[in-house]
């Protein structure tokens, strides 16, 4: 490019490039770049000039060339498609009239901090170092799909509000980030795509606002995060998809507000997470889907659980904070698939690992009661009998109470009215207590039942005692067998 064709502002940038000197057109550090459309020629630089500098600009021996520009109005399309730029690029607090075209480009470093752009087309771009999009304001979609970033990606405080939501607002799928994804305070209107992205460090969307009502707000299917994924205080309108994601550290949704009424708010089926934190948050407006997820530590406040959950196949090792079983069981009763037996087994195992056998028994009792509701009428009837007598074997003291009560009733009845002996000459001395025990206990015999025969309603009472004894014995044996098998 002929230097005689350069405007004064462009000439200043051209001369500073070879020495890596910064050029700052701003009149104040807090200047608002959204007003850049009205900036005059004294701070206007053509994109073609920047392209010429970056691809074949002048260099001085002993100097490191770099493009460092603040507060400029950049006109035309900055087209670096398929280009290789060996110099750092810093275009901070600038106003871009057109979408930069960086498809398949190769850059050392790119810093657009605080700039205002109509969008960004940078799919499959490769950045050796850091990509800074901090506090950028995009008025169109940002396409970073398939990018390779050797260092971290900064999107903190960025705003992406395209004119429509037909396409994703931020497309970052299939990208590779060699360090952290740092995006606290991100604001988007439309879908954010992180599917199949690999992050070598941690990710942060703390305080982010993701809006795409009735659609996917964050698509992070098969996402891989080697560290933690923080989403504290995040607010979403639309659903978060984490199906098949792998997060080695913590997925922290503390204080989050997730809203997708009528559908799932969080879809994390088949994901693998070191720790999942769902605490200090209002109930989700929408369902919680954790089908087939594998979680080492599940931090879950009962108040956070929404009205609808899907927990089939969920596996977790530790459940905190430690809450009474009565506060955890309603979650299992809300499962959209109805009775899910493995969900009860997982909760039971968690209580046992915590050493709370009482809570574990309550969960097993609740499981039997829920199972009862799925059976035919005769199965439900038998279930009610087991529940009332010995609590399906989980409350064996009830059997003692029933036996003592029936023993008292039978002993009193037969003490007042001795049954007649079958063979008076051979009959032992009648004892109402042991006679009643002979009726109640189906295995033990004291020789009283075979020697005496009651009549009238006393005979009916003996039949009732025999039947009740068999029921109690059967339920006790069932409960003992269940406990032994679990051990």
């Amino acid at each position: 490019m002929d230097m005689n064709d350069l405007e004064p502002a462009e000439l200043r940038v051209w001369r500073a490039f070879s020495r890596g000197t910064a050029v700052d057109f701003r009149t104040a550090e807090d200047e608002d770049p959204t007003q850049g459309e009205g900036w005059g020629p004294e701070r206007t630089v053509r994109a073609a000039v920047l392209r010429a500098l970056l691809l074949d600009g002048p260099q001085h021996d002993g100097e490191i060339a770099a493009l460092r520009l603040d507060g400029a109005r950049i006109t035309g399309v900055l087209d670096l498609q398929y280009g290789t730029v060996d110099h750092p690029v810093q275009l901070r607090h600038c106003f871009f009239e057109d979408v930069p075209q960086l498809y398949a480009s190769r850059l050392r470093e790119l810093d657009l901090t605080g700039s205002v752009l109509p969008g960004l087309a940078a799919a499959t771009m490769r950045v050796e170092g850091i990509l800074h999009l901090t506090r950028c304001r995009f008025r169109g979609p940002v396409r970073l799909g398939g990018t390779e970033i050797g260092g971290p990606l900064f999107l903190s405080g960025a705003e992406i509000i395209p004119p429509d939501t037909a396409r994703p607002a931020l497309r970052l799928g299939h990208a590779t980030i060699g360090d952290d994804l740092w995006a606290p305070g991100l604001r988007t209107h439309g879908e954010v795509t992180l599917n199949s992205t690999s992050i070598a460090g941690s990710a942060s969307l703390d305080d982010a606002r993701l809006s795409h009502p009735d659609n996917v707000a964050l698509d992070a299917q098969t996402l891989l995060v080697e560290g933690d994924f923080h989403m504290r205080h995040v607010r979403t309108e639309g659903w978060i998809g984490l199906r098949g994601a792998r997060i080695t550290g913590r997925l922290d949704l503390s204080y989050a507000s997730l809203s997708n009424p009528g559908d799932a708010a969080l879809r994390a089926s088949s994901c693998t997470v070191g720790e999942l934190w769902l605490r200090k948050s209002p109930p989700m407006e929408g369902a919680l889907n954790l089908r087939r997820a594998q979680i080492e530590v599940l931090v879950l406040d009962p108040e956070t659980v929404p009205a609808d959950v899907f927990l089939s196949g969920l596996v977790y090792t530790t459940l905190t904070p430690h809450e009474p079983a009565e506060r955890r069981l309603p979650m299992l009763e809300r499962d959209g698939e109805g009775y899910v037996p493995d969900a009860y087994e997982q909760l039971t195992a968690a209580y046992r690992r915590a050493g709370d056998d009482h809570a574990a028994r309550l969960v097993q009792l609740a499981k039997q009661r829920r199972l009862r509701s799925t059976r035919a009428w005769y199965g439900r009837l038998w279930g009610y009998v087991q529940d009332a007598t010995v609590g399906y074997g989980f409350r064996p003291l009830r059997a003692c109470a029933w036996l003592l009560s029936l023993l008292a009733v039978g002993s009193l009845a037969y003490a007042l009215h001795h049954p007649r002996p079958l063979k008076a000459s051979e009959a032992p001395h009648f004892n109402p207590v042991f006679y009643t025990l002979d009726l109640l206990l189906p295995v033990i015999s004291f020789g009283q039942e075979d020697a005496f025969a009651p009549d009238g309603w006393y005979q009916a009472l003996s039949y009732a005692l025999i039947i009740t004894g068999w029921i109690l014995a059967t339920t006790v044996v069932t409960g003992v067998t269940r406990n032994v098998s679990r051990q």
Side-chain angles (χ1 to χ4, degrees), residues 79-85 100-107 121-127 143-148:
D79 188 354
L80 296 174
Q81 294 185 88
Y82 302 102
T84 299
V85 178
Q101 300 293 325
L102 307 179
Y103 178 83
S105 60
R106 300 295 182 263
L107 308 176
T124 71
M125 175 180 65
R126 179 179 297 173
V127 180
R143 299 194 293 276
L144 293 170
T147 55
E148 295 182 24

Side-chain angles (χ1 to χ4, degrees), residues 156-425:
S156 52
E159 181 181 86
I160 307 174
I161 305 179
D164 60 71
T165 59
R167 294 179 296 173
L170 172 60
R171 189 186 293 275
L172 194 56
H174 301 275
T176 302
I177 301 174
D179 205 316
D180 295 340
L181 168 59
W182 189 251
L186 175 68
R187 302 290 189 274
T188 63
H189 185 66
E191 178 182 337
V192 175
T193 302
L194 287 173
N195 59 300
S196 300
T197 294
S198 175
I199 302 173
S202 295
S204 174
L205 287 173
D206 289 346
D207 297 294
R209 302 292 182 267
L210 312 178
S211 177
H212 196 200
D214 302 320
N215 289 282
V216 55
L218 175 62
D219 180 6
Q221 297 186 67
T222 65
L223 169 72
L224 172 61
V225 181
E226 298 290 350
D228 298 332
F229 191 0
H230 295 290
M231 299 180 69
R232 293 168 294 203
H233 298 278
V234 71
R235 296 178 63 89
T236 63
E237 296 179 16
W239 52 274
I240 295 176
L242 290 167
R243 182 179 180 275
R246 288 188 294 154
I247 301 170
T248 303
R250 179 196 310 171
L251 172 57
D252 193 346
L253 282 158
S254 302
Y255 307 97
S257 179
L258 310 183
S259 176
N260 190 38
D263 203 347
L266 176 61
R267 302 179 182 181
S269 60
S270 302
C271 69
T272 303
V273 181
E275 299 181 16
L276 174 57
W277 288 37
L278 293 168
R279 65 186 191 97
K280 306 295 184 182
S281 306
M284 297 179 193
E285 296 182 28
L288 170 63
N289 186 348
L290 294 176
R291 289 191 187 103
R292 301 176 301 281
Q294 297 187 27
I295 302 169
E296 187 66 25
V297 179
L298 178 58
V299 182
L300 181 63
D301 286 344
E303 296 80 7
T304 303
V305 180
D308 297 305
V309 297
F310 296 90
L311 306 176
S312 176
L314 169 65
V315 177
Y316 52 88
T317 302
T318 304
L319 177 64
T320 63
H322 188 77
E323 296 279 356
E326 292 83 357
R327 286 175 51 77
R328 294 291 188 189
L329 286 170
M331 173 179 68
L332 308 187
E333 297 168 358
R334 300 172 193 167
D335 200 295
E337 295 183 1
Y339 170 61
V340 180
D342 60 279
Y344 288 89
E345 293 300 325
Q346 281 295 311
L347 184 55
T348 300
Y351 276 125
R352 286 196 179 123
R353 281 189 288 268
D356 193 343
D357 291 333
H358 173 70
R361 287 193 297 270
L362 290 180
V363 175
Q364 285 294 299
L365 177 58
K367 175 188 175 184
Q368 294 300 321
R369 289 172 174 170
R370 190 74 184 276
L371 175 61
R372 181 178 66 204
S373 65
T374 66
R375 290 179 168 170
W377 68 268
Y378 47 85
R380 292 197 300 272
L381 179 60
W382 177 239
Y384 281 118
V385 172
Q386 289 185 300
D387 194 357
T389 52
V390 291
Y392 286 98
F394 296 103
R395 292 177 175 173
L397 290 179
R398 280 190 181 180
C400 296
W402 278 102
L403 286 172
L404 290 175
S405 299
L406 294 173
L407 178 60
V409 170
S411 299
L412 180 61
Y414 294 118
L416 295 176
H417 185 84
H418 290 194
R420 62 181 178 82
L422 293 176
K423 294 182 180 180
S425 60

